[in-house]
Amino acid sequence: MTSKHCDILILGAGYTGALAAAVLSRKGYSVVVVDRTSHPRFAIGESTTPEQTYILDWLGREYGIPELRRLSSYEYIKHDGLPIAVWPKESLYFLFNPAQFPGAPSEFMHQTHPWPAGPTFHCLRADLDQYLLKTACAYGAEFRPNTEIKSLDVAGDGVSVVLDTGGSSAELKARFLVDATGPGCFLAEKLGLREKGEPFGGLRSWTAYSHFVGVKGLEESYGRDWPKTSLPRDNATLQHISPEGWAWVIPFDNGVTSVGVVFQAGDEAEAQRDPRGVFERYVRANPAFAAMMHGAQAIRPFTGTGALQWRAKRIAGKNWLILPPASGFTDPYLSPGQMLSSASVGRFALAVDSILKDGRGAEEALGWMQSRHDLENAHIARIVHSSFLSFRHPLLFEQAQSLYWLMLAYDRGLSQIPSDGGPELLPAQWAASDPDFHALTVEFERLLVEGKTKEPSVLACELDACLRRGDRHGLLPPSLPRTRLTTLGHVRELRRLRRRTAVQKGAMIPKQAGPVRPFDSVRHLLSVLLRAPFARRTPRSAGALRMFARHLRIALTGR
């Protein structure tokens, strides 16, 4: 049996494992990545967020990895010709089932990062994961595909593992182990850390999904006669909403579309037994969804899951760390998964030197990561659960969207410097560490849980009053635009830049902010243009020019 030594062994070569391998290899550590399959391969989690792309850009700048910076926006990917099927995500778009809520369409839209800092994008995960893995290998990581783990010992000072690749065994010894196996959660299962039952209170959901060709856009099918919105409805992560659950429609520019349905009512076992059947039944019940799916063909078998919610009781040990989503998962709603994975990779990159170079105990060095992980997962689950409870009526959903809108403002502009020993550049996501916003989300969820039998109009007024009381910094507008776009995406970045400057000078910006003003958006837009290499951001097509014109109009007028 052959034997090999390395600094860090990473289990899993998906998004999280490949990203961690790229960063850790660039920091100078010897890294081996082990996976039981090879690339390219199917995966979901295909919609990026501004938080995720911001972290990728930061990792690229901090550790000198230009390949990560190229993943920070749709325009970067298209300009550099990366081998990744993508689609511009100019907004998050939500549409209630017209059969259940007839009349004018009940639709909601939130702008993501504007050009030139964005927009964010959809990406075919088979392409993205393979790109990240090739990047890691280019910086020195070793990849061992189609490899099974025969035995694993983490009881000693280091890690000892016996690998089986096609009948050939090899021993590998590492100073540290990172589990990035995703839902397979290899280490959590082996160490008995996977928490059974319902770890997130009332939040429980399951899903059925596949990839398709021939899916139509909303504006070329059911909504072709609807009035235009500020941004194209189909340049978005489009989500169909109903009291039973929600569905995603995520297109890519190679003709493939990812479509899935997430249920919070019905037979969970049936979703696993007959995912195609429950998927098609949900489609038929929604005329807008059915019009988009008319004539579409699945190009891979349907997948059905049991309950999505779970978590590991502990994510760090003497010589190991479990990264999301191998450490737990809430729900794909609002795409928190890759955001948490990216943040955790960045956090470990900041802490790994104290473990492997300074000899600090891993459990002590990563204690702040454990507390932040627990805080984020419980907080995100509460916001997602509130959204699920609001699906029963558009009036309630509008209030839940206001909570989400306010969360973005807290998260990007007013998050306080962490007091748990963690680095300021990667604070708890979704404003989880802000005590004001934490109290607001607890109260908001309580009202929705206790108000299940109340009239939607009455409960919506109570939720609005709760939001107004909880908005202690004057961020929430008098009424949240529904099919109009807000300038929040510009202003929150400007406030983050101001806050960083103050931190560097040894001061903290007071926790206060005035109303959102279009002038701040224009100033931010110009500042990004001036500090970025302009040639790199120059649009090269009429489509890109139209996108720039849309984003500039929204920055100037707020609509």
Side-chain angles (χ1 to χ4, degrees):
M1 183 187 305
T2 60
S3 182
K4 180 181 176 66
H5 293 260
C6 67
D7 292 324
I8 301 171
L9 169 63
I10 298 177
L11 305 181
Y15 174 85
T16 309
L19 178 62
V23 173
L24 296 170
S25 296
R26 192 68 178 90
K27 283 176 66 68
Y29 293 103
S30 58
V31 177
V32 175
V33 183
V34 172
D35 199 288
R36 62 182 180 179
T37 63
S38 59
H39 285 277
R41 65 189 183 198
F42 173 81
I44 58 170
E46 301 141 321
S47 178
T48 62
T49 64
E51 292 78 14
Q52 175 190 348
T53 55
Y54 169 81
I55 294 170
L56 289 174
D57 182 68
W58 178 79
L59 288 170
R61 287 185 287 105
E62 183 75 7
Y63 300 109
I65 310 175
E67 293 86 351
L68 297 185
R69 299 204 66 193
R70 295 186 184 116
L71 295 175
S72 64
S73 80
Y74 171 78
E75 278 299 312
Y76 263 154
I77 292 175
K78 298 302 289 184
H79 183 278
D80 291 346
L82 301 188
I84 303 173
V86 292
W87 190 264
K89 179 183 173 181
E90 295 185 61
S91 72
L92 287 169
Y93 176 84
F94 308 88
L95 175 65
F96 268 77
N97 185 346
Q100 296 170 305
F101 301 94
S106 296
E107 53 181 358
F108 303 80
M109 182 181 283
H110 285 290
Q111 186 183 15
T112 62
H113 272 352
W115 191 94
T120 54
F121 54 91
H122 302 154
C123 60
L124 193 66
R125 279 288 303 279
D127 294 346
L128 176 64
D129 295 359
Q130 188 172 29
Y131 172 83
L132 286 171
L133 183 60
K134 287 183 176 179
T135 299
C137 292
Y139 286 106
E142 178 186 342
F143 177 45
R144 297 193 182 186
N146 304 311
T147 300
E148 295 288 343
I149 300 174
K150 295 179 64 175
S151 66
L152 174 67
D153 181 10
V154 294
D157 293 333
V159 176
S160 177
V161 59
V162 177
L163 307 174
D164 183 358
T165 305
S168 174
S169 296
E171 183 184 27
L172 181 63
K173 294 186 177 181
R175 299 171 63 193
F176 200 86
L177 173 70
V178 174
D179 182 0
T181 53
C185 54
F186 176 84
L187 195 57
E189 288 283 8
K190 182 175 179 59
L191 300 180
L193 297 174
R194 178 160 180 162
E195 187 172 345
K196 307 296 182 181
E198 297 184 16
F200 299 119
L203 178 60
R204 186 177 181 87
S205 60
W206 51 96
T207 184
Y209 56 85
S210 187
H211 275 179
F212 297 81
V213 293
V215 177
K216 300 178 179 65
L218 178 63
E219 292 185 330
E220 65 174 314
S221 56
Y222 192 84
R224 60 182 176 273
D225 297 324
W226 290 357
K228 297 296 183 184
T229 49
S230 300
L231 295 174
R233 293 176 175 90
D234 294 311
N235 280 14
T237 300
L238 193 151
Q239 293 156 96
H240 293 280
I241 305 296
S242 70
E244 296 77 28
W246 66 282
W248 74 77
V249 180
I250 298 176
F252 314 110
D253 58 9
N254 64 350
V256 175
T257 302
S258 174
V259 187
V261 177
V262 181
F263 302 92
Q264 61 173 340
D267 186 353
E268 179 180 337
E270 185 183 6
Q272 296 175 277
R273 186 174 60 252
D274 183 21
R276 185 184 190 115
V278 297
F279 178 92
E280 291 179 345
R281 188 163 65 244
Y282 189 93
V283 171
R284 289 193 299 269
N286 184 329
F289 199 5
M292 296 180 69
M293 297 300 296
H294 181 70
Q297 298 292 323
I299 60 174
R300 66 174 311 278
F302 281 78
T303 299
T305 72
L308 297 169
Q309 293 72 35
W310 67 277
R311 66 181 171 190
K313 301 174 184 177
R314 189 158 54 99
I315 68 166
K318 179 180 180 181
N319 48 23
W320 53 266
L321 172 68
I322 307 176
L323 294 176
S327 59
F329 191 72
T330 50
D331 189 88
Y333 185 71
L334 300 176
S335 307
Q338 289 187 56
M339 170 193 71
L340 293 177
S341 295
S342 305
S344 294
V345 169
R347 291 165 185 166
F348 181 56
L350 290 166
V352 67
D353 289 348
S354 66
I355 300 170
L356 297 185
K357 292 183 179 179
D358 301 337
R360 189 180 177 193
E363 289 181 277
E364 177 190 359
L366 301 177
W368 63 274
M369 284 189 65
Q370 177 73 61
S371 61
R372 194 162 295 181
H373 171 271
D374 295 341
L375 179 67
E376 284 174 336
N377 277 272
H379 179 75
I380 289 173
R382 186 177 298 112
I383 294 176
V384 172
H385 186 218
S386 296
S387 296
F388 272 46
L389 293 171
S390 76
F391 288 169
R392 71 182 178 99
H393 198 278
L395 288 174
L396 304 180
F397 187 74
E398 184 169 8
Q399 299 304 319
Q401 287 302 291
S402 296
L403 178 69
Y404 175 66
W405 193 99
L406 192 56
M407 177 271 292
L408 293 177
Y410 274 83
D411 192 37
R412 293 303 187 83
L414 297 173
S415 297
Q416 288 186 320
I417 298 175
S419 58
D420 56 6
E424 186 274 334
L425 286 173
L426 290 170
Q429 303 296 299
W430 284 24
S433 59
D434 189 295
D436 293 334
F437 191 70
H438 174 79
L440 172 60
T441 57
V442 170
E443 176 66 10
F444 195 89
E445 182 188 37
R446 184 189 66 80
L447 288 173
L448 280 164
V449 170
E450 296 178 357
K452 289 182 178 180
T453 60
K454 291 184 179 180
E455 284 294 320
S457 58
V458 174
L459 181 56
C461 290
E462 295 179 5
L463 294 172
D464 181 71
C466 171
L467 290 171
R468 302 296 164 183
R469 289 193 303 270
D471 180 21
R472 302 178 182 177
H473 311 294
L475 294 171
L476 202 62
S479 62
L480 182 69
R482 293 171 64 174
T483 57
R484 289 172 50 199
L485 274 295
T486 73
T487 57
L488 179 62
H490 306 276
V491 175
R492 64 191 184 194
E493 285 301 309
L494 179 63
R495 286 175 179 157
R496 177 176 283 245
L497 291 172
R498 288 175 177 169
R499 175 170 165 265
R500 278 196 197 152
T501 302
V503 169
Q504 291 168 359
K505 294 179 179 178
M508 283 188 61
I509 287 187
K511 291 192 64 180
Q512 58 185 0
V516 175
R517 294 184 176 87
F519 175 74
D520 286 338
S521 303
V522 177
R523 181 163 52 181
H524 169 65
L525 192 66
L526 292 175
S527 71
V528 174
L529 278 170
L530 291 174
R531 72 172 182 268
F534 188 77
R536 193 174 174 80
R537 294 292 196 180
T538 301
R540 298 183 300 162
S541 68
L545 288 172
R546 285 194 295 270
M547 182 174 67
F548 168 71
R550 287 195 296 269
H551 294 186
L552 183 60
R553 183 195 69 238
I554 294 167
L556 291 169
T557 67
R559 65 181 66 189

